[in-house]
């Protein structure tokens, strides 16, 4: 039996309540939407023909590029693993997964628009895969950070970064099927916080190497975003300076 697939997932469907504007559409110094920067980072880690997945909420705002991707996924067959090999060379191997909402309207579900909804959309798409998860919350993260996770990860349900303050970062992580299954159970009981699932399962928490704490720069407010943009402009090469070749 072969090893389980490792699939890349970009979480871009958050409510961005504190930011006051859709976080994934924030503009980098060169005018590029933040989510496009994150897509190229994932493409660096997962070259073609690997498909990159983007999680969006049902109500997420989109731009022209996202609208084109949504237009391509017009049938249920386009939302299954079997459809991946059918993509034509002219179509980018990028696929949108809408956040998962149970068909039963009476189901106890409090994760709508949250990171858990995006994680569960991925789990619903492929329940056997390991998912390398990146959120738009981390605008400075380099590809090296994920390679660091890959090297450090062990046979645990969740491998994620931990900040210098000891905070678990489950949206910059590798989620195994058992962890996503457990997250689904917790969400059904009204506990949608991924970090609680990671801690409950004794997930492996990885520290950034000395001098690389900036990898985990997390933006949730406009003030934090402005500060991160200044870091991109003034920092050394690699801090958010990702070329866009190959995304489209």
């Amino acid at each position: 039996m072969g090893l389980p697939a490792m699939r890349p997932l970009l979480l871009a469907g958050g409510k961005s309540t504190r930011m006051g504007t859709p976080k994934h559409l924030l503009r980098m110094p060169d005018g590029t939407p933040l989510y496009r920067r994150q897509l190229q980072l994932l493409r660096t880690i997962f070259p073609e023909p690997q498909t990159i997945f983007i999680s969006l909420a049902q109500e997420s705002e989109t731009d022209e590029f996202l609208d084109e991707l949504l237009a391509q996924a017009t049938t249920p067959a386009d939302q299954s693993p079997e459809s991946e090999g059918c993509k034509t060379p002219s179509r980018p191997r990028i696929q949108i997964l809408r956040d998962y909402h149970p068909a039963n309207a009476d189901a106890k579900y409090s994760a709508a628009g949250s990171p858990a909804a995006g994680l569960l959309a991925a789990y619903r798409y492929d329940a056997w895969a390991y998912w390398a998860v990146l959120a738009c919350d981390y605008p400075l993260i380099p590809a090296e950070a994920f390679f660091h996770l890959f090297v450090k990860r062990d046979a645990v349900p969740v491998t994620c970064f931990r900040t210098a303050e000891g905070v678990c970062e489950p949206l910059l992580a590798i989620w195994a099927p058992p962890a996503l299954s457990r997250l689904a159970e917790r969400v059904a009981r009204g506990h949608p916080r991924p970090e609680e699932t990671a801690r409950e399962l004794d997930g492996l928490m990885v520290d950034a190497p000395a001098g690389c704490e900036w990898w985990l720069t997390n933006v949730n407010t406009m003030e934090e975003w402005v500060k991160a943009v200044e870091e991109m402009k003034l920092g050394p090469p690699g801090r958010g300076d990702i070329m866009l070749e190959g995304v489209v």
Side-chain angles (χ1 to χ4, degrees):
M1 178 181 293
L3 294 174
M6 174 79 75
R7 297 185 181 276
L9 175 67
L10 174 60
L11 295 175
K15 294 180 179 179
S16 303
T17 304
R18 285 187 285 167
M19 183 65 69
T21 191
K23 193 179 299 181
H24 65 291
L25 296 179
L26 289 169
R27 296 286 172 172
M28 302 290 288
D30 65 356
T32 302
L34 173 57
Y35 83 90
R36 295 282 293 275
R37 183 267 182 192
Q38 305 296 65
L39 281 178
Q40 182 54 40
L41 184 145
L42 289 174
R43 178 56 74 211
T44 299
I45 303 166
F46 297 92
E48 294 272 8
Q50 179 80 289
T51 297
I52 297 174
F53 296 85
I54 309 175
S55 168
L56 288 177
Q58 297 293 334
E59 64 277 8
S60 290
E61 291 188 30
T62 57
D63 60 7
E64 183 177 353
F65 183 70
L66 291 174
D67 287 339
E68 290 176 359
L69 292 176
L70 287 168
Q72 293 169 6
T74 56
T75 67
D78 289 324
Q79 292 291 317
S80 66
E82 291 75 14
S83 68
E84 291 179 49
C86 301
K87 298 184 184 300
T88 63
S90 61
R91 293 172 61 177
R93 289 185 176 270
I94 302 171
Q95 183 169 328
I96 291 177
L97 299 177
R98 287 294 196 180
D99 284 359
Y100 176 55
H101 297 267
N104 180 1
D106 296 327
K108 185 176 182 181
Y109 188 78
S110 58
S114 75
L119 289 167
L120 294 184
Y123 181 56
R124 183 168 179 254
Y125 178 86
D126 188 347
W128 299 101
Y130 284 71
W131 289 89
V133 178
L134 170 63
C136 286
D137 304 58
Y138 308 96
L140 305 185
I141 193 76
E144 290 83 356
F146 268 96
F147 294 130
H148 187 67
L149 272 186
F150 295 156
V151 169
K152 295 290 185 179
R153 78 185 183 104
D154 202 346
V156 293
V158 185
T159 301
C160 64
F161 274 107
R162 174 176 56 194
T163 68
E165 295 74 29
V167 177
C168 170
E169 299 285 358
L171 309 186
L172 192 54
I174 301 168
W175 284 75
L180 292 169
S181 176
R182 182 58 178 162
L183 177 64
E185 293 172 0
R186 289 181 57 85
V187 165
R189 298 202 308 270
H191 302 289
R193 295 174 64 87
E195 60 269 30
E196 293 177 357
T197 298
R199 290 187 180 279
E200 179 187 278
L201 296 174
D202 292 324
L204 176 62
M205 298 188 191
V206 177
D207 298 318
C212 295
E213 293 80 7
W214 56 269
W215 285 1
L216 308 183
T217 298
N218 190 320
V219 298
N220 289 295
T221 66
M222 189 56 67
E223 181 180 2
E224 291 171 344
W225 171 249
V226 170
K227 184 176 179 180
V229 168
E230 290 303 313
E231 288 287 322
M232 296 175 205
K233 294 177 179 177
L234 302 175
R239 287 199 185 189
D241 187 18
I242 304 295
M243 299 301 292
L244 290 174
E245 296 177 4
V247 173
V248 296

